[in-house]
């Protein structure tokens, strides 16, 4: 029965021919590339603010990819609101873009992480009153300041920080039901994880990720919008930050993406690298929407 439903679902979400039209964008320090690919619709949303504003956060940049599923509403509203919620909360707490104030004795790393996590959870509650479909969304976000890079993830979109020679210096870890720590958390909350033949592990027979915005038909204690946060102090090694959805990571490893970007960076624009990487993933038979940011780090 499950196999029959799975085949029907696959037939309903894929095109007969891939849509290879690209969405490309770039700024002085970054490029974005996106492609619908084989999916019947594109449920990825991206957003960047460079700088975040021209006041308190003029020295910081914000990048985010929201990878929706079962509809677009959650990704769309989350993309519209997350940066506003995050910066408003930080401002209300008395934190501004001065790195010294963020890391002074008044507020340490744990306090900042608590604020970010609280903001994500509050936004998820807000979205429950806005979303009109059965959708959910994972999210990968980066805040880049004068001294620090923050990588913030919910779900299986991922970010890496790499060097000029392609070393992976830092990376986020996916939130999936096959991860031991996630399994233990879900079971402790009373949830169930199943995996059938020719399918991935799922929460309550439904969800292939274990933390999301939205997906309100499931118990949110099982799939909270609770992010993990990596703080990386800028150093001479950090050259690029790369954010991408699982349409990229399903067919390329962190190391493969790092080498792909680093080997082309000296003589190819970031926009062309992003475009070529989309083509490469399509050749590697990715079946999902694709979105990627490549961001140059200035130390």
């Amino acid at each position: 029965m499950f196999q029959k439903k799975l085949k029907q679902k696959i037939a309903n979400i894929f095109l007969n021919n891939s849509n290879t039209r690209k969405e490309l964008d770039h700024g002085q320090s970054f490029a974005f590339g996106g492609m619908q690919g084989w999916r019947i619709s594109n449920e990825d949303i991206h957003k960047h603010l460079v700088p975040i504003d021209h006041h308190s956060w003029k020295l910081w940049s914000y990048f985010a990819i929201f990878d929706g599923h079962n509809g677009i509403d959650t990704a769309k509203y989350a993309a519209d609101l997350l940066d506003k919620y995050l910066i408003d909360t930080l401002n209300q707490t008395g934190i501004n873009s001065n790195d010294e104030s963020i890391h002074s004795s008044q507020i340490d790393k744990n306090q900042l992480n608590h604020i970010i996590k609280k903001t994500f959870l509050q936004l998820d509650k807000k979205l429950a009153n806005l979303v009109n479909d059965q959708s959910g969304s994972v999210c990968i976000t980066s805040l880049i300041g004068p001294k620090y890079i923050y990588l913030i993830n919910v779900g299986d979109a991922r970010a890496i920080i790499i060097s000029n020679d392609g070393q992976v210096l830092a990376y986020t870890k996916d939130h999936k039901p096959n991860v031991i720590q996630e399994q233990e958390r879900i079971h402790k909350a009373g949830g169930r994880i199943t995996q059938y033949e020719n399918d991935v592990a799922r929460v309550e027979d439904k969800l292939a990720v274990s933390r999301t915005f939205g997906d309100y038909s499931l118990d949110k204690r099982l799939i909270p919008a609770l992010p993990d946060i990596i703080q990386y102090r800028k150093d001479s090694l950090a050259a690029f930050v790369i954010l991408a959805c699982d349409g990229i990571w399903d067919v390329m490893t962190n190391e493969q993406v790092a080498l792909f970007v680093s080997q082309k960076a000296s003589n190819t624009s970031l926009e062309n690298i992003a475009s070529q990487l989309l083509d490469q993933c399509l050749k590697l038979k990715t079946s999902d929407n694709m979105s990627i940011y490549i961001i140059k780090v200035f130390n």
Side-chain angles (χ1 to χ4, degrees), residues 188-212:
K188 188 175 181 180
R192 183 170 57 98
I193 297 171
T194 54
Q195 184 167 6
Y196 298 97
E197 187 178 356
N198 299 322
D199 192 31
V200 297
R202 295 182 182 274
V203 180
E204 300 292 317
D205 278 346
K206 293 183 179 181
L207 204 58
V209 291
S210 53
R211 302 191 199 185
T212 70

Side-chain angles (χ1 to χ4, degrees), residues 15-49:
L15 298 167
N16 292 326
N17 297 292
S18 62
N19 182 342
T20 58
R21 186 182 68 83
K22 295 172 184 172
E23 179 182 0
L24 299 172
D25 192 8
H26 71 277
Q28 185 177 1
S29 62
F30 74 92
F32 171 82
M35 183 190 292
Q36 182 174 326
W38 286 99
R39 292 297 178 109
I40 199 166
S41 63
N42 192 344
E43 295 173 326
D44 287 359
I45 304 286
H46 67 281
K47 187 173 185 179
H48 54 265
L49 299 171

Side-chain angles (χ1 to χ4, degrees), residues 282-299:
L282 202 61
K283 289 178 183 177
L284 293 171
K285 301 188 184 306
T286 186
S287 60
D288 209 343
N289 304 143
M290 291 178 280
S291 294
I292 184 167
Y293 274 112
I294 305 173
I295 306 146
K296 176 66 179 174
V297 176
F298 294 99
N299 296 302

Side-chain angles (χ1 to χ4, degrees), residues 68-98:
H69 48 262
N70 299 326
I72 195 68
D73 268 16
T74 303
K76 179 178 67 176
Y77 284 115
D80 183 51
L81 294 173
L82 178 58
D83 58 286
K84 300 178 179 68
Y85 266 60
L86 193 55
I87 300 306
D88 284 350
T89 303
L90 291 171
N91 286 338
Q92 290 169 13
T93 314
I95 304 173
N96 58 45
S97 63
N98 184 327

Side-chain angles (χ1 to χ4, degrees), residues 272-286:
N272 282 336
I273 295 173
S275 176
Q276 291 173 30
L277 195 140
L278 297 176
D279 292 334
Q280 177 68 8
C281 289
L282 202 61
K283 289 178 183 177
L284 293 171
K285 301 188 184 306
T286 186

Side-chain angles (χ1 to χ4, degrees), residues 233-293:
R233 186 178 180 93
K234 283 185 176 180
D235 55 26
S236 59
L237 287 178
F240 298 97
V241 177
I242 300 170
L243 280 64
C245 66
D246 64 338
I248 303 294
W249 304 116
D250 282 348
V251 294
M252 295 184 74
T253 65
N254 294 351
E255 291 74 19
Q256 287 170 335
V257 170
L259 286 174
F260 189 97
V261 172
S262 63
Q263 289 174 354
K264 296 176 181 293
S266 63
N267 57 12
T268 308
S269 70
L270 295 184
E271 184 174 303
N272 282 336
I273 295 173
S275 176
Q276 291 173 30
L277 195 140
L278 297 176
D279 292 334
Q280 177 68 8
C281 289
L282 202 61
K283 289 178 183 177
L284 293 171
K285 301 188 184 306
T286 186
S287 60
D288 209 343
N289 304 143
M290 291 178 280
S291 294
I292 184 167
Y293 274 112

